[in-house]
Amino acid sequence: MNRALRIIFSRYGIVVIILILVLGVIALASQREQTPLDGGNANGGGSTSEASSEAFTEDDGFATENCESDDCYPEEELPQEAVDRSVEFAEAWLNPNGYSADGWYDSIIPFLTDEQAELMQGVDPSEVPATEVTGPPVPEGLKVAFPMDTGTLTLTMTEGSNNLTGTGWLVSAIDWEQS
């Protein structure tokens, strides 16, 4: 018994064990290639389902064939209601009333998704890097950009609901770019 263990745990024994494991994995992989992925007959005699193979080739409607530019994807436009809602948030975000951290947070959470509201919890309104909006909002896709005195505030809008308001347009992401 000691001799067998000594052989198994020697360099050569370990190499043989590794080779057996590698060959086993290769054998399992080649067997997997013979198994159809679409749920057809695994015995090799059945035909594959056309419906499931069509699911992999069917056009999902987002990109056109052989198109590689940004124009290949349909541009979603925000309704005016979403732009108006983003304007209201941007005005509250600037904290014109000089609220404390809790008051400021309470003033902006009706505009935020629950996830974004969690991220904003504990933010100090004195750290807001701008004091005024300097131009009209610029909607692009699902985002609205606001030129401000020290940079650009970009809000991503989504239709949904949060714990405070009914269904409507909410801010799901807040991005700031310093100018």
Side-chain angles (χ1 to χ4, degrees):
M1 181 70 162
N2 285 338
R3 182 176 165 101
L5 289 175
R6 212 175 322 143
I7 291 172
I8 290 173
F9 290 110
S10 70
R11 276 185 252 176
Y12 302 113
I14 292 174
V15 168
V16 169
I17 292 170
I18 291 173
L19 283 174
I20 291 171
L21 289 173
V22 168
L23 292 174
V25 169
I26 291 172
L28 288 173
S30 67
Q31 183 181 8
R32 177 69 178 150
E33 289 176 7
Q34 296 170 0
T35 305
L37 297 176
D38 62 2
N41 188 353
N43 296 331
S47 64
T48 59
S49 169
E50 283 187 33
S52 61
S53 63
E54 286 176 9
F56 292 113
T57 59
E58 188 176 306
D59 183 13
D60 61 4
F62 284 111
T64 58
E65 287 185 32
N66 301 324
C67 189
E68 297 178 6
S69 70
D70 289 340
D71 296 333
C72 299
Y73 301 95
E75 186 67 32
E76 293 187 44
E77 289 188 30
L78 286 174
Q80 188 60 41
E81 174 187 349
V83 175
D84 293 343
R85 189 86 168 141
S86 69
V87 169
E88 291 173 23
F89 171 81
E91 290 170 354
W93 182 72
L94 291 173
N95 195 19
N97 299 320
Y99 290 130
S100 66
D102 290 336
W104 176 74
Y105 179 74
D106 290 343
S107 73
I108 64 170
I109 58 171
F111 302 100
L112 302 173
T113 61
D114 291 333
E115 296 81 19
Q116 188 62 38
E118 282 183 37
L119 293 173
M120 294 298 289
Q121 197 166 21
V123 172
D124 184 3
S126 66
E127 293 181 14
V128 171
T131 57
E132 67 178 336
V133 177
T134 59
V138 181
E140 183 176 326
L142 296 176
K143 297 183 177 192
V144 181
F146 291 90
M148 298 206 168
D149 55 346
T150 58
T152 303
L153 172 68
T154 303
L155 306 174
T156 303
M157 302 300 290
T158 187
E159 196 167 14
S161 63
N162 61 17
N163 292 332
L164 298 173
T165 62
T167 303
W169 287 95
L170 300 171
V171 177
S172 62
I174 303 168
D175 294 315
W176 174 256
E177 184 177 324
Q178 193 77 28
S179 60

